[in-house]
Amino acid sequence: MSAQTPPTLLKLARQALLRDETLDMSALDKLPMVFLPKLFNEALTSRHTTTVKAMVAAWPFPCLLVGALMKTPDLETFQAVLAGVDKWLRRNFLPRRGKLQFLDLRKKYHEFWSIWAGVEDGDCSVENQDEQQVVKVLPKYALRQCLKVVADLCLRPRVDEEQTCFFQWAQRRKGSIQFCCMKMTIWIQPVHVIKEVLKVFHPEHIREFELNTEWNMFMLADFAPCLGQMRNLHKLLLALVSKNIFKIGNRTTDMEYKCISKFISQFSIFNCLQHLSFRRVYFLRNRIKRVLSKQGWRAGCLMTPLETLSITHCNISQSDLNYFSECPKLFQLKHLDMKGVGLNALDVMPLRVLLEKVADTLQSLDMKCCRMKDSHLIVLIHALSKCSQLAKVSFYCNDFSMPILRNLLKHTANLSKMYLEQYPAPLECYDDFGYVSTERFTQLCAEQIDRLRAIRQPKRIFFATHVCPRCGERCVYGRRFRPCLCQRRRQ
Ligand SMILES: [Zn+2]
């Protein structure tokens, strides 16, 4: 049996400090800076709330990236962090070292902690580093005059104790601390709640905004001025999640037109938007140009091209699709997602023009459930074959025959970056009543994959049938054949 290595003096010192319930800011202020990150990490993980509170108040670096260490929610420890900030605000002595300027509550990794993770007992290599070198890895925006607190917020109908506690704390301190939310996600909340939140976390700091809502158009219009203040948005998702949003009757009233117009007019201020997503947005039809157009932009502003355009489960018109080929904002797209957008009645030539424009940038294309037929795909094949960066493509749930699918696959020979490809089962697999012949399906798919292997090595390739009307599942042919539930039961 090997003898246990005795704890080092550093470890013993840390253990003693963690046990010390009377630890205060002035005592911590005298400890070497290099000693504190590891002590803080241990105090947090072992929930020594007294030490956590004292250490936040005495933190010697300008920046405290505490969210990175708090991935598992623990209300008591979180409250100790906030109490530490209060103590710091009320401090009655001048710290010997730099003051805290930036508290980051976002639960994301930061290299600051990885550097200190290496400081194990007996390993003093990092401890000997120049303190200034370590401060250099902290975010530049940490160097500021007043304390800034950064957090990501996800507001859900279910009460999140930690978030509620934080919001109530922030509301009472909004005069003395600058609060900043980089990423805000909203799930089904009343407009007035979001307006209250935005009084504390000013909209202009938000970089990513996700609104999943059942608001009707009058509520959306009421919220429009708040959206209009988010002028630094990089990413925006609007998803209308309830049936309530559908208008009553067939006609849109003048008032409704005005509300939609007020909401959409806010889009002209998003000068740095890179990722734009709409899901089930019923009022998008005939308004895509208005949403994407640079009209109304401030003179002299450079146009940021979109990297992602996602318009899913929306109803669009021919004039909407025509604008795809004319809008320079789309000409550097990396990701195009049109899942669930019915193209069966539209001329897809503008889509072909867009694919030609983005041939050097497009990495993923999702055309699932677009109700396309052979006549649509044939227009797109040549342009698709030129999209050299394409790594992910899905055409599930479209109606293509065997010859046209064969033609498509033949034209993918040069798409060497392709990683995941999903194609619909050819029409020849279905009988007159729309039921799949599994034998025919597996035979035709195997044939296609063999033909493809002769020109290119596919990595992950799948063929899938329409959803089975009896069990709601698809039959999928990939590395092996997976029948739908009722076919599996029959076997
Ligand atoms: Zn089935």
Side-chain angles (χ1 to χ4, degrees):
M1 200 175 90
S2 64
Q4 277 191 337
T5 315
T8 61
L9 284 175
L10 277 173
K11 188 164 187 175
L12 288 171
R14 277 204 303 272
Q15 286 170 350
L17 284 164
L18 286 174
R19 281 195 303 268
D20 185 357
E21 293 290 312
T22 61
L23 200 64
D24 67 8
M25 287 167 76
S26 53
L28 285 164
D29 196 44
K30 293 186 185 78
L31 289 173
M33 267 168 94
V34 289
F35 190 70
L36 297 177
K38 182 113 186 177
L39 179 65
F40 184 69
N41 201 337
E42 286 186 8
L44 264 182
T45 44
S46 57
R47 299 176 185 177
H48 281 87
T49 51
T50 311
T51 315
V52 168
K53 182 177 162 184
M55 289 197 73
V56 172
W59 193 246
F61 301 97
C63 191
L64 177 53
L65 307 145
V66 70
L69 303 176
M70 298 192 69
K71 288 192 176 139
T72 313
D74 180 64
L75 187 61
E76 214 180 319
T77 318
F78 184 69
Q79 285 171 324
V81 171
L82 301 184
V85 176
D86 283 340
K87 201 169 173 185
W88 181 86
L89 288 170
R90 293 193 305 266
R91 71 198 181 285
N92 52 12
F93 83 107
L94 197 63
R96 181 169 70 90
R97 301 181 281 227
K99 63 171 189 169
L100 183 63
Q101 294 165 49
F102 180 81
L103 178 73
D104 193 340
L105 296 172
R106 288 173 297 171
K107 296 184 191 301
K108 56 189 250 188
Y109 162 82
H110 196 282
E111 66 173 321
F112 176 83
W113 297 110
S114 325
I115 294 173
W116 297 101
V119 187
E120 207 22 86
D121 303 311
D123 171 14
C124 291
S125 55
V126 180
E127 297 193 34
N128 292 334
Q129 280 191 22
D130 180 355
E131 287 175 356
Q132 291 307 313
Q133 286 293 316
V134 177
V135 172
K136 270 187 191 168
V137 304
L138 296 172
K140 289 191 179 59
Y141 42 82
L143 304 169
R144 44 183 300 111
Q145 290 306 309
C146 73
L147 179 63
K148 178 173 181 175
V149 175
V150 178
D152 288 338
L153 294 177
C154 180
L155 306 168
R156 292 176 182 277
R158 184 174 50 83
V159 174
D160 176 330
E161 278 187 317
E162 188 177 298
Q163 203 155 265
T164 308
C165 159
F166 173 57
F167 184 65
Q168 288 168 350
W169 179 84
Q171 258 186 324
R172 291 194 292 270
R173 285 152 191 83
K174 65 179 180 191
S176 47
I177 295 177
Q178 187 192 344
F179 291 97
C180 173
C181 172
M182 298 278 201
K183 183 178 175 186
M184 188 176 284
T185 308
I186 294 165
W187 283 95
I188 324 281
Q189 294 285 334
V191 182
H192 70 90
V193 169
I194 310 306
K195 284 185 172 178
E196 280 305 307
V197 171
L198 293 175
K199 279 182 194 164
V200 179
F201 299 89
H202 199 274
E204 77 175 330
H205 298 300
I206 301 176
R207 298 291 181 95
E208 295 181 28
F209 185 64
E210 187 176 314
L211 180 62
N212 300 275
T213 186
E214 54 186 2
W215 297 343
N216 61 31
M217 54 196 83
F218 300 104
M219 292 163 175
L220 285 169
D222 184 28
F223 182 71
C226 297
L227 187 71
Q229 289 177 55
M230 298 181 192
R231 53 187 67 251
N232 293 309
L233 274 191
H234 283 62
K235 197 170 177 179
L236 171 65
L237 168 91
L238 176 65
L240 302 184
V241 294
S242 164
K243 282 185 276 186
N244 296 345
I245 47 85
F246 289 103
K247 57 186 187 290
I248 300 161
N250 292 326
R251 292 188 56 220
T252 307
T253 64
D254 281 354
M255 187 60 95
E256 287 165 339
Y257 269 125
K258 279 182 189 158
C259 289
I260 295 169
S261 192
K262 183 177 174 188
F263 187 76
I264 286 188
S265 67
Q266 310 302 322
F267 283 74
S268 62
I269 62 113
F270 300 142
N271 291 323
C272 36
L273 202 63
Q274 291 171 344
H275 309 277
L276 177 60
S277 303
F278 294 104
R279 192 183 302 150
R280 299 189 192 282
V281 177
Y282 65 95
F283 55 75
L284 216 51
R285 187 177 168 83
N286 290 325
R287 292 188 175 90
I288 297 241
K289 184 172 181 177
R290 186 98 194 276
V291 166
L292 294 175
S293 162
K294 63 178 181 175
Q295 203 178 4
W297 286 20
R298 292 193 305 273
C301 276
L302 286 175
M303 185 179 61
T304 311
L306 279 185
E307 274 184 34
T308 307
L309 177 67
S310 172
I311 294 178
T312 59
H313 306 287
C314 296
N315 183 6
I316 67 167
S317 67
Q318 186 65 51
S319 69
D320 288 325
L321 199 59
N322 290 348
Y323 192 62
F324 278 32
S325 63
E326 298 162 18
C327 176
K329 208 170 163 54
L330 302 183
F331 294 167
Q332 288 179 51
L333 273 187
K334 289 184 180 170
H335 310 283
L336 177 61
D337 184 355
M338 295 184 70
K339 193 172 30 267
V341 174
L343 298 174
N344 47 323
L346 303 183
D347 170 11
V348 293
M349 188 54 88
L351 200 55
R352 172 185 169 152
V353 176
L354 177 64
L355 290 176
E356 283 165 358
K357 304 260 190 203
V358 298
D360 294 333
T361 55
L362 195 70
Q363 294 170 13
S364 71
L365 176 67
D366 194 337
M367 306 290 293
K368 243 184 244 119
C369 304
C370 288
R371 288 184 273 155
M372 286 194 291
K373 300 192 181 307
D374 285 1
S375 56
H376 297 97
L377 186 58
I378 205 154
V379 176
L380 303 178
I381 285 181
H382 186 72
L384 272 169
S385 72
K386 304 285 177 198
C387 292
S388 56
Q389 305 302 309
L390 209 52
K392 231 170 119 180
V393 70
S394 180
F395 286 105
Y396 271 0
C397 239
N398 287 285
D399 292 330
F400 301 148
S401 68
M402 196 65 235
I404 198 81
L405 265 179
R406 203 175 287 152
N407 190 358
L408 170 67
L409 291 172
K410 201 170 75 184
H411 279 83
T412 61
N414 294 326
L415 306 187
S416 57
K417 297 202 171 163
M418 194 67 94
Y419 172 75
L420 173 64
E421 39 200 319
Q422 298 177 320
Y423 304 104
L427 291 173
E428 288 80 352
C429 297
Y430 301 93
D431 67 16
D432 292 345
F433 302 100
Y435 292 114
V436 181
S437 151
T438 51
E439 204 178 314
R440 185 116 182 88
F441 175 54
T442 49
Q443 182 211 336
L444 288 174
C445 295
E447 257 177 51
Q448 284 315 299
I449 294 176
D450 281 349
R451 278 170 190 269
L452 189 59
R453 285 211 178 101
I455 55 166
R456 166 168 73 84
Q457 279 308 307
K459 293 188 180 70
R460 298 176 67 210
I461 181 167
F462 300 92
F463 291 84
T465 62
H466 290 301
V467 168
C468 165
R470 282 183 288 235
C471 68
E473 278 192 10
R474 299 172 196 281
C475 298
V476 181
Y477 188 94
R479 282 191 192 116
R480 59 188 180 82
F481 172 59
R482 192 178 63 88
C484 68
L485 187 63
C486 47
Q487 303 263 18
R488 284 204 298 277
R489 281 188 184 144
R490 213 175 298 156
Q491 282 171 359

